Amino acid sequence: MAERQATRSAKLFARAQQVMPGGVSSPVRAFKAVGGTPRFMKRGKGASITDEDGRTYLDYVMSWGPLIHGHAPKGLLSVLTKTARHGTSFGAPTRLEIEMAELVRSLVPSMELVRFTSSGTEAAMSVLRVARAATGRDAVLKFAGCYHGHADGFLVEAGSGAVTLGVPTSPGIPKAAAALTLTARYNDLASVDAVVGRVKGGVAAVLVEPIAGNMGVVPPEPGFLEGLRALCDRTGALLVFDEVISGFRASRGGAQHLLGVRPDLTCLGKIIGGGLPVGAYGGREDLMRMVAPDGPVYQAGTLSGNPMAMAAGLWALSQLSDKLYAKLERLGALLAEGLSESAHRAGTDVSINRVGSLLTVFFTNQPVRNYDDARGADTAAYGRFFQAMLAQGIYLPPSQFEAWFLSGAHTTDHVDTTIRAARKAFKVAARGGSAPTP
Ligand SMILES: *Cc1c(COP(=O)(O)O)cnc(C)c1O
């Protein structure tokens, strides 16, 4: 773990901290949860990334999900070059946006109309505005451990084990805004009923990651999403699926296609941009017609739907195939099995959650069904595991509470290499857990 101060990454990190908070553009990149110095990346190809010191890693972060086709795929590069030649942004409509919206609607039919944004955060905050406008209600319900971007109304979580009124997770969020965000427990319909039942006039929307990815991967239990659908129908709330991770990842039609539950509104991000900044929201036509300029709900963006982003997205979505999902499923299953066996052999307790190409190794002997369970994981053990994997050239998410992402560029050999590295890393993780042995 001793960091050689001479590495280029270490020098860049010191320099970065002089001009950017924490030296990064997004907090989790700073390695605070696992210790050590973040690696500054220079290039990526396929499933591999190379840092400024020339060290190459097998990547399981994949830019946090967007890169389902791997780093720098040839087809994408040629599309981007061609598009850029004609201008990168007009602030006027283009044909590419129509093609993209038509493609999104054909893959996710509940999205009858689509509006493009430049991030998942924007999509989620905009969808909330639509839901509030459509229902005339202010309160919304989310789940502890689910992330919907960093807009004021979403940076709220419940107190541990309790279903409580919203308390801001970050300073700078008005109490009044946080108070409108209620929190329930994932996979626990009774907790939802209890909260919704207390709100006079009802909630505008129930927002959920239909496959949770931001407390680590937590799949919905059978009946959970169906129960939310029924509750929304009963109470007049809108059901919003945040599919920023699961869209085009769980299946070509997202989690809603895989699990057979139709939301009123959906947010997309990550894969939809093929590695460029894109988000989208959409849903029932009657709701989406309320968005300006068809309706009064204002939402806009200077670079929304720009040609580079649309071209990248069109390319990425056009490359999704049954063959790709079959491969991702096969690799995901191999990886989860191998990791589980390696952990067992090393005497380390882990609980592995996986949906297709998304997985999380939780350092706990308990099943993880919600945020409270996830928080029971041994984050120090994960930190040791992370560092031991990094030292062997495997780049994992620098936090226990994130998903590992596979891509079409990963191979069986990559998975085998990872499992071999994990045998050693699980031993390291287990060792540090108790008092050091002589
Ligand atoms: C990443 C993420 C977001 C936010 O998207 P950004 O593009 O980072 O703003 C929202 N919801 C979910 C489920 C996410 O995983």
Side-chain angles (χ1 to χ4, degrees):
M1 288 244 301
E3 204 63 53
R4 286 187 310 257
Q5 283 311 308
T7 66
R8 290 208 178 114
S9 278
K11 281 188 200 147
L12 289 168
F13 191 43
R15 189 172 142 203
Q17 284 170 294
Q18 302 301 310
V19 283
M20 296 186 282
V24 291
S25 299
S26 194
V28 74
R29 298 178 195 173
F31 275 27
K32 285 225 164 169
V34 290
T37 302
R39 304 304 193 255
F40 279 64
M41 294 305 164
K42 199 164 182 174
R43 57 179 186 270
K45 184 77 202 155
S48 296
I49 47 177
T50 303
D51 70 12
E52 291 273 356
D53 291 288
R55 290 178 293 206
T56 295
Y57 307 86
L58 179 54
D59 187 12
Y60 284 100
V61 174
M62 302 312 285
S63 190
W64 302 96
L67 306 185
I68 197 167
H69 304 301
H71 290 276
K74 262 209 198 96
L76 176 66
L77 300 186
S78 91
V79 156
L80 286 178
T81 318
K82 223 164 83 191
T83 306
R85 237 179 249 136
H86 297 294
T88 57
S89 185
F90 301 107
T94 63
R95 179 191 295 269
L96 287 172
E97 294 158 81
I98 313 173
E99 290 176 9
M100 182 72 168
E102 287 172 348
L103 182 55
V104 168
R105 188 173 65 177
S106 75
L107 295 173
V108 187
S110 74
M111 299 178 77
E112 295 166 359
L113 294 182
V114 183
R115 167 62 60 86
F116 294 110
T117 63
S118 295
S119 70
T121 293
E122 269 184 281
M125 64 183 240
S126 308
V127 98
L128 186 54
R129 190 171 298 148
V130 173
R132 283 173 165 156
T135 57
R137 303 171 181 179
D138 288 340
V140 295
L141 183 110
K142 74 177 280 288
F143 293 89
C146 280
Y147 178 66
H148 305 294
H150 59 82
D152 279 1
F154 294 129
L155 284 186
V156 172
E157 62 183 352
S160 171
V163 175
T164 54
L165 288 182
V167 193
T169 300
S170 161
I173 294 173
K175 281 197 200 71
L180 294 173
T181 304
L182 312 166
T183 316
R185 193 183 293 118
Y186 201 77
N187 279 325
D188 183 352
L189 286 171
S191 78
V192 180
D193 277 332
V195 175
V196 171
R198 277 212 310 267
V199 182
K200 256 229 202 90
V203 300
V206 174
L207 262 106
V208 66
E209 288 179 72
I211 296 166
N214 286 289
M215 49 181 132
V217 176
V218 178
E221 290 179 348
F224 176 57
L225 298 174
E226 292 83 351
L228 295 181
R229 178 69 273 177
L231 174 126
C232 286
D233 291 342
R234 206 165 62 237
T235 62
L238 297 172
L239 181 61
V240 181
F241 278 3
D242 182 343
E243 296 228 41
V244 170
I245 287 181
S246 58
F248 313 117
R249 165 82 51 190
S251 82
R252 231 186 309 193
Q256 53 195 271
H257 172 74
L258 186 74
L259 304 166
V261 178
R262 188 180 176 105
D264 300 299
L265 293 161
T266 298
C267 327
L268 297 172
K270 300 192 169 124
I271 289 176
I272 195 177
L276 269 72
V278 185
Y281 65 100
R284 271 167 43 193
E285 174 161 1
D286 61 314
L287 301 173
M288 290 302 293
R289 289 284 177 216
M290 298 186 71
V291 177
D294 269 351
V297 177
Y298 195 72
Q299 186 269 316
T302 301
L303 291 169
S304 295
N306 75 77
M308 296 298 278
M310 294 295 99
L314 273 169
W315 183 84
L317 299 191
S318 73
Q319 301 298 305
L320 302 173
S321 66
D322 293 346
K323 204 172 140 205
L324 172 66
Y325 291 104
K327 176 183 178 179
L328 291 173
E329 171 60 32
R330 186 169 50 76
L331 289 180
L334 262 180
L335 182 59
E337 258 166 56
L339 290 171
S340 173
E341 201 208 299
S342 306
H344 186 74
R345 273 210 245 166
T348 311
D349 285 326
V350 297
S351 184
I352 299 180
N353 281 356
R354 179 182 75 89
V355 181
S357 56
L358 289 173
L359 73 85
T360 297
V361 179
F362 289 101
F363 282 74
T364 169
N365 58 6
Q366 298 297 313
V368 176
R369 307 170 50 234
N370 57 46
Y371 190 42
D372 291 328
D373 295 341
R375 278 195 295 194
D378 182 345
T379 52
Y382 181 79
R384 292 188 294 273
F385 179 76
F386 169 89
Q387 298 292 352
M389 291 297 272
L390 191 67
Q392 297 175 87
I394 314 285
Y395 191 80
L396 301 178
S399 160
Q400 165 72 95
F401 307 110
E402 302 283 358
W404 304 21
F405 295 94
L406 284 157
S407 78
H410 287 76
T411 64
T412 311
D413 278 354
H414 290 145
V415 168
D416 289 343
T417 304
T418 307
I419 292 166
R420 270 199 305 277
R423 278 188 199 138
K424 200 160 143 194
F426 279 127
K427 281 186 201 141
V428 174
R431 262 209 300 278
S434 48
T437 43

